[in-house]
Amino acid sequence: MHIAVITLFPEMLCAVTDFGVTGRAVEQGRLRISAVNPRDFTTDRHRTVDDRPFGGGPGMVMKAEPLARAVEYARRITGPARVIYLSPQGRILDQPAVRRFAAEAASESLILVAGRYEGVDERFIEAHVDEQWSIGDYVVSGGELPAMVLVDAVARCLPGVLGDEASAEQDSFSGELENLLDCPHYTRPEVWAERRVPPVLLGGDHEAIRRWRRQQALERTRERRPDLFRARESAQGLSEEDKRMLADNGRRHDQDNES
Ligand code: 9D3
């Protein structure tokens, strides 16, 4: 998959190109990330990318022409591409949307436009942007971090990017596909700061461990994310085992913690 990011701060992209899972995907050639700087497509002496808003008011607005030329240049290197503007006015990104981007990656590249200042000239959006996406209802200083969040989330869904274990997990009954929060995790030592690891995890009864983890996931989701829990109930319903686990509510693992 090829993703071009239109940004005034191309160096920021090293956070995804140089590290971790996304860094490896770039190294392996599964993911190509190109930065295109609108400043390189200005024609005036001062290389101006922003200007004062018509109608007055605080802050500056990104000029349409350098952005449009940057997108046209990006499309020459990516081939057929969907143009996405990261914007607080966009739809809020979720995992189904991320999965769709990854699935379409086979046939289509992405051009991500990261804005700075108060935003971009609306006529650029009308002329060149296919979709607008937000990463949530809070304010960050520009579109670069949101673009990198999108790149990271999409990259993880591309075939071969995650190791066998993680992708097998994604394919099967894991939280990501089931609208469930994760269960708690523990590693050595068995006692830390006077806290014991739940004994069921030390016993080697893999069926008991599976049941305990699922119960924890269900309970946490119901308590912490009732929105997800309801979405899950209406999408796939609760299995008989799920209902039993939720009815059992706490008793089983309270016992675990005492022993
Ligand atoms: C404080 C300025 N705000 C006035 C109401 C408008 C504003 C302009 C530019 C708010 C944020 C930004 C920069 N943010 C983004 O470009 C952005 C973003 C975000 O801030 N939150 C969540 N998702 C996104 S996607 C792009």
Side-chain angles (χ1 to χ4, degrees):
M1 172 180 218
H2 194 162
I3 304 179
V5 183
I6 312 295
T7 171
L8 292 173
F9 299 119
E11 295 89 349
M12 284 181 75
L13 296 180
C14 76
V16 282
T17 58
D18 296 4
F19 300 92
V21 165
T22 49
R24 187 155 14 93
V26 169
E27 226 167 67
Q28 293 173 337
R30 298 180 199 279
L31 178 63
R32 203 173 147 205
I33 298 176
S34 313
V36 180
N37 191 338
R39 204 176 290 284
D40 296 336
F41 299 87
T42 53
T43 50
D44 65 315
R45 228 168 56 79
H46 296 103
R47 310 221 296 160
T48 310
V49 290
D50 63 325
D51 206 341
R52 290 154 50 212
F54 277 123
M60 300 290 271
V61 174
M62 288 182 80
K63 293 168 69 65
E65 187 62 17
L67 283 171
R69 287 160 164 263
V71 166
E72 280 156 9
Y73 176 83
R75 216 191 296 275
R76 286 205 295 275
I77 53 181
T78 62
R82 189 182 320 198
V83 179
I84 291 170
Y85 173 42
L86 284 307
S87 158
Q89 280 75 50
R91 261 189 69 189
I92 295 177
L93 194 65
D94 58 9
Q95 194 63 18
V98 166
R99 266 188 237 114
R100 276 195 297 277
F101 286 130
E104 289 158 6
S107 56
E108 194 182 45
S109 296
L110 291 178
I111 297 174
L112 306 183
V113 180
R116 281 275 152 174
Y117 317 117
E118 287 308 299
V120 312
D121 190 307
E122 190 68 20
R123 295 165 297 181
F124 163 76
I125 300 173
E126 290 169 11
H128 288 282
V129 170
D130 299 311
E131 297 174 16
Q132 302 188 50
W133 290 89
S134 163
I135 58 164
D137 292 335
Y138 45 86
V139 180
V140 297
S141 303
E144 287 80 7
L145 286 171
M148 290 190 280
V149 166
L150 177 57
V151 170
D152 184 285
V154 170
R156 294 168 49 80
C157 296
L158 298 176
V161 165
L162 292 184
D164 290 343
E165 248 176 83
S167 43
E169 192 191 311
Q170 267 193 342
D171 288 344
S172 72
F173 265 27
S174 76
E176 234 172 315
L177 283 182
E178 258 206 309
N179 273 332
L180 273 186
L181 298 182
D182 215 348
C183 62
H185 303 287
Y186 300 88
T187 187
R188 292 187 294 179
E190 280 182 28
V191 184
W192 178 82
E194 295 176 7
R195 291 150 215 263
R196 296 203 69 85
V197 172
V200 63
L201 299 179
L202 308 174
D205 180 344
H206 298 293
E207 182 55 22
I209 291 170
R210 184 197 66 76
R211 278 199 308 268
W212 181 85
R213 286 181 169 157
R214 186 163 181 87
Q215 183 172 35
Q216 290 288 315
L218 285 163
E219 283 172 13
R220 284 178 148 196
T221 309
R222 187 176 54 183
E223 295 310 310
R224 302 179 190 185
R225 291 293 305 277
D227 57 325
L228 269 191
F229 194 76
R230 276 190 297 273
R232 188 172 173 285
E233 273 178 307
S234 52
Q236 56 239 45
L238 291 171
S239 72
E240 288 311 309
E241 186 186 41
D242 290 351
K243 284 177 198 159
R244 240 184 306 112
M245 285 176 167
L246 286 164
D248 206 13
N249 197 9
R251 256 169 285 138
R252 182 191 300 276
H253 60 263
D254 286 350
Q255 275 167 20
D256 285 346
N257 288 332
E258 278 160 27
S259 49

